[in-house]
Amino acid sequence: ENNNTFTADHSDVELRGSTQQITGSSVTTFYDLTLQTSSAVKTQTIDANVNDILALNDCELATTGYNMTVLNPSTAAITHNSGFVSSTGAGRLVRAANSTSAYTFPTGWNDGGNIYYHPVDIAPSVTDSESFAVRLAFDDPASEGYPSTTAAGNVTAVNTKFFHLIKQ
């Protein structure tokens, strides 16, 4: 819980335990954030940032309606085994980018213990400093105002179980 007193410096904060929250009255900026305890869910109740490395390991980071922003533009700034980021509403996994190499967004969803892992790889076309925000929406696109009955002529079918929201 950060109530405007946490200073990250070059620390590695490890969240250990089955259920934990990133919360408080102030947005927390971690230097390195490591999620521990296999199959655990770490939940955000506020936006948070990571300056260097976000290590998901085998955990779910549930951003809910908030953003987890990784400020390090290295393509290696997020590590994971079976870990993933789930989000709802306005929540996103946000990454800084400055390379034309592929940036992986390890997005997924936990549907009552059934894990659906659907990552996104984005390779920017320029080396400008920019950011991308991604969320896996585990629902019919129509439920969020994107009609699944209409599609471009070269699209033969629309997945009604999940879709990705991507913002640059």
Side-chain angles (χ1 to χ4, degrees):
E1 181 174 345
N2 182 11
N3 290 317
N4 204 23
T5 58
F6 176 74
T7 304
D9 195 28
H10 281 89
S11 63
D12 181 7
V13 173
E14 293 187 4
L15 298 182
R16 297 176 181 268
S18 58
T19 58
Q20 292 175 306
Q21 291 184 336
I22 298 171
T23 190
S25 60
S26 297
V27 171
T28 299
T29 298
F30 300 95
Y31 183 74
D32 288 334
L33 177 60
T34 302
L35 308 185
Q36 299 287 3
T37 310
S38 186
S39 301
V41 178
K42 315 304 180 174
T43 305
Q44 288 181 229
T45 66
I46 192 170
D47 288 336
N49 305 311
V50 174
N51 274 330
D52 192 38
I53 302 295
L54 171 61
L56 298 169
N57 292 311
D58 299 313
C59 298
E60 175 184 353
L61 174 61
T63 70
T64 60
Y66 300 96
N67 291 329
M68 174 57 76
T69 302
V70 179
L71 301 167
N72 179 357
S74 167
T75 58
I78 297 177
T79 64
H80 68 101
N81 295 323
S82 63
F84 62 95
V85 176
S86 64
S87 303
T88 57
R92 304 282 189 277
L93 173 59
V94 182
R95 292 192 72 167
N98 66 359
S99 166
T100 56
S101 298
Y103 289 83
T104 298
F105 292 76
T107 56
W109 190 257
N110 184 340
D111 185 27
N114 294 314
I115 305 300
Y116 296 91
Y117 177 66
H118 296 286
V120 170
D121 287 333
I122 296 176
S125 60
V126 295
T127 59
D128 297 344
S129 291
E130 54 191 334
S131 65
F132 295 89
V134 175
R135 171 169 77 96
L136 170 70
F138 193 72
D139 206 348
D140 186 323
S143 69
E144 294 198 30
Y146 304 103
S148 55
T149 55
T150 59
N154 61 343
V155 176
T156 57
V158 175
N159 186 329
T160 57
K161 294 193 181 270
F162 71 90
F163 62 102
H164 286 95
L165 292 164
I166 301 172
K167 181 179 180 183
Q168 177 184 14

